[in-house]
C-alpha cells in the first residue's frame, strides 16, 4: 500500500491562482500522452503519480480526450486514485476539460451546453470522482454563443461537480469576454491554460498574459518544453525513438533544423552554467517572475519527472541571461 512521503510539502513552491484562495504547485503533472495507452504499463504510470505527489506535485491535469484512445487517461487515473490516493483526495487538485471530439454526431465536441455537461458526467464516471477541482472549456466554439459555454461551466459549479472553472486556448479578447460573463453569473474565471515556452511566445506577443494580469486570472502553461525540443533529446539531431521521428502531428521532423539544433546547444550551455538541464532552464524561464502560476510537465518515467521538478531550485534569472535567451530564440 502506498504511503505518501511525510516531507512532500517541504520544497515545492505553491502559487496563488489569480485572486482565488487556491494555490497550485509551480509544476503540475499533465496526463496527456503518457497515461492510458497500451504501451505504457500500469506500474510505470502509478510510479510516476506516486513520485509526483511525494515531490509536492499536488495538481494532476487531464482532459476528456487524453489517451489515446480518448478517455483512457481519465480511466487510468481513476484506477490509480482508487488504489493509491483515495485517502489523499483533499490534498489533490484534479482538473479536466471538454471541447474536443469524444463521440459521433453533432453533440460530441465543441462548446454546447449539452456536450459540455454530458462530457463532465462521463469524465467523473471514468475517474470515480464526485467532483473535479477545475473544469475547463478546452477550446472556444466558433458557432456556439460564449454565454452558453460559460453558462455550462457555471452550472457545473452550481451542481457541485466542479469547484472552479477555467478556459484553454482562448485569445486575449475571448478571455476578457469569458471572464465578464462568468463574473456576472457569479462563478469567477479561475485560470487560463495556454501554450507557452521560450520558443512559442504568443501569450506575450498577443497580449494574453497582459489580459490575465488585468483580470487577476491565473495561468497554467502547457508545452513549456515545446514537445521535447527544449530537452536534451535533440541536441545531436533527431533520435530514432523521438516524437519528431514518429508520425506525431505535434512535432514534425522538418522543424528540427540545423539552425535550431545550434540554438538548442547554446541554450544547453547556458543551462549548464546555471547548474541546470535544458529542460530545467526552459521550465524556470516560463515560471520566472511569478507571472505564470504553474507549468504543466509530462513524464514517461519517475526519473524524467524528477529532472523537471529540479527546476524549482533556481527560478531566478539576471538581465544578461534573459538577454542571451532572447538573442538565441528571436534571432
Amino acid at each position: 500500500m502506498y504511503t505518501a512521503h511525510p516531507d512532500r510539502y517541504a520544497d515545492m513552491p505553491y502559487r496563488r491562482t489569480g485572486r482565488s484562495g487556491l494555490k497550485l504547485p509551480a509544476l503540475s503533472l499533465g496526463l496527456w500522452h503518457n497515461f492510458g495507452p497500451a504501451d505504457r504499463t500500469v506500474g510505470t504510470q502509478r510510479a510516476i503519480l506516486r513520485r509526483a505527489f511525494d515531490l509536492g506535485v499536488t495538481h494532476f491535469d487531464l482532459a476528456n480526450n487524453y489517451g489515446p484512445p480518448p478517455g483512457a487517461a481519465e480511466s487510468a487515473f481513476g484506477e490509480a486514485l482508487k488504489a493509491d490516493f483515495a485517502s489523499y483526495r483533499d490534498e489533490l487538485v484534479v482538473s479536466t476539460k471538454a471541447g474536443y471530439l469524444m463521440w459521433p454526431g453533432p453533440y460530441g465536441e465543441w462548446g454546447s451546453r449539452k456536450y459540455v455537461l454530458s462530457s463532465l458526467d462521463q469524465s467523473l464516471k471514468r475517474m470515480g470522482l464526485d467532483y473535479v477541482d477545475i473544469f475547463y472549456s478546452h477550446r472556444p466554439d466558433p458557432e456556439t454563443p460564449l454565454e452558453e459555454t460559460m453558462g455550462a461551466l457555471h452550472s457545473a459549479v452550481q451542481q457541485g461537480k466542479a469547484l472552479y472553472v477555467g478556459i484553454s486556448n482562448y485569445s486575449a479578447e475571448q478571455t476578457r469576454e469569458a471572464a465578464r460573463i462568468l463574473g456576472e453569473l457569479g462563478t469567477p474565471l479561475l485560470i487560463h491554460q495556454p501554450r507557452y515556452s521560450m520558443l512559442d511566445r504568443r501569450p506575450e506577443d498577443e497580449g494574453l498574459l497582459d489580459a490575465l494580469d488585468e483580470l487577476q486570472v491565473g495561468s497554467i502553461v502547457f508545452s513549456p518544453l515545446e514537445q521535447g525540443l527544449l530537452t536534451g533529446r535533440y541536441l545531436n539531431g533527431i533520435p530514432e525513438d523521438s516524437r519528431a521521428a514518429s508520425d506525431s502531428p505535434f512535432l514534425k521532423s522538418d522543424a528540427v533544423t540545423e539552425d535550431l539544433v545550434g540554438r538548442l546547444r547554446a541554450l544547453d550551455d547556458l543551462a549548464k552554467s546555471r547548474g541546470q538541464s535544458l529542460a530545467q532552464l526552459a521550465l524556470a524561464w516560463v515560471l520566472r517572475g511569478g507571472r505564470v502560476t504553474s507549468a504543466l510537465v509530462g513524464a514517461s518515467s519517475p526519473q524524467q519527472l524528477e529532472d523537471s521538478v529540479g527546476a524549482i531550485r533556481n527560478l531566478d534569472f539576471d538581465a544578461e541571461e534573459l538577454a542571451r535567451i532572447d538573442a538565441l530564440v528571436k534571432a
Side-chain angles (χ1 to χ4, degrees), residues 53-115:
F53 192 52
D54 285 345
L55 291 170
V57 178
T58 54
H59 179 211
F60 301 115
D61 179 78
L62 299 104
N64 57 358
N65 65 324
Y66 287 179
E74 289 179 331
S75 296
F77 182 66
E79 291 298 317
L81 277 174
K82 182 170 60 176
D84 293 331
F85 295 100
S87 63
Y88 300 107
R89 174 63 182 98
D90 291 337
E91 295 184 47
L92 303 180
V93 175
V94 179
S95 62
T96 196
K97 312 176 193 75
Y100 287 93
L101 181 64
M102 282 299 292
W103 58 88
Y107 321 120
E109 63 178 326
W110 293 110
S112 72
R113 180 179 182 84
K114 179 172 178 60
Y115 164 74

Side-chain angles (χ1 to χ4, degrees), residues 239-268:
E240 291 183 1
D241 61 346
S242 67
R243 182 169 291 172
S246 70
D247 59 356
S248 170
F250 304 107
L251 180 60
K252 301 293 186 180
S253 60
D254 58 8
V256 188
T257 63
E258 288 187 19
D259 176 68
L260 176 61
V261 170
R263 294 169 193 248
L264 295 177
R265 288 174 178 166
L267 288 170
D268 186 57

